[in-house]
Amino acid sequence: MTHIGGPTVLIEVAGWRILTDPTFDPPGRRYAFGWGTSSRKKTGPSLQPEEVGPVDVVLLSHEHHADNLDDRGRELLAQVPLVVTTRAGAERLGRAADGTRGLRPWDRTTLDAPARQPISVTATPCRHGPPLSRPIAGPVIGFALQWEGQEHGVLWITGDTVLFHGVREVPRRMTVDTVVLHLGAVRFPITGPLHYSLTADEAVELCTLVQPRTIIPVHYEGWSHFAQGREAVETAFAASPDHLGERLHWLPLRAVDKL
């Protein structure tokens, strides 16, 4: 895995090059998220699109927030053979029908290509905010990846979500070996203490249920709407009675542009 910044990770496995939530815009701009909310991008990507190389598949948790798909990320989509995203997102992207697959939670699709090992992708539930926020925050999904030869369990990318019954269902349905956690405890001044992504404490509670061998934090830095960064995550995990802090693995970021 290569962490490019925010939620953007390049996963190279079983002959595939899979990119999550492409964000490649430079820092400095403020983006509107709707209903009076906005955020300023503070950190640029560690790699430019041309440095990433060819991408076989984009796993796009949602396309309606710029911290998960920005302008340069949208340009990249035109060069990618397949995008897997939400049903609503697939319709809005307007790509060719065979180049986009829209999934609802617990739908499954298979990545299949000549001379490559098939990968099963299951859409996992997300709720991108407090109760009753879905009509405002919009649909989001995570992704659970399985392929032949996995030794200990699936690779799960949570997507932008808070802790709710939908994500608690994931460890009941599957064994997770590695979890890529979207964190940051997103908050906006207009909605006060309400948060729209996992807090550090919620992440600890979720990982206590999941019991993954490896925990990879992403999407906790680089934007003004993040209320918690690496220090808060490390503190919360260090206090876990299950010693979950020993399972944290911070993917290195190369030098990036910062404001």
Side-chain angles (χ1 to χ4, degrees), residues 26-41:
R29 178 176 162 191
R30 179 168 289 276
Y31 297 78
F33 290 94
W35 296 85
T37 62
S38 67
S39 181
R40 186 169 64 97
K41 188 170 186 179

Side-chain angles (χ1 to χ4, degrees), residues 97-119:
D98 59 350
T100 306
R101 299 180 193 174
L103 305 180
R104 294 190 178 98
W106 303 119
D107 284 350
R108 182 177 296 177
T109 190
T110 300
L111 308 182
D112 204 350
R116 290 185 194 153
Q117 188 170 335
I119 295 181

Side-chain angles (χ1 to χ4, degrees), residues 154-192:
V154 307
L155 165 61
W156 180 31
I157 304 153
T158 65
D160 287 7
T161 187
V162 297
L163 184 63
F164 77 116
H165 65 87
V167 291
R168 289 189 180 97
E169 184 68 18
V170 172
R172 299 190 184 107
R173 296 194 182 207
M174 57 187 68
T175 300
V176 176
D177 176 63
T178 299
V179 59
V180 179
L181 287 173
H182 286 213
L183 296 168
V186 166
R187 290 187 174 90
F188 299 101
I190 196 170
T191 53

Side-chain angles (χ1 to χ4, degrees), residues 2-10 19 23-24 44-48 52 221 252-253 256:
T2 303
H3 189 195
I4 295 169
T8 310
V9 178
L10 178 65
L19 191 68
T23 54
F24 291 96
S46 64
L47 292 172
Q48 298 302 315
V52 173
E221 42 70 42
L253 282 165
V256 296

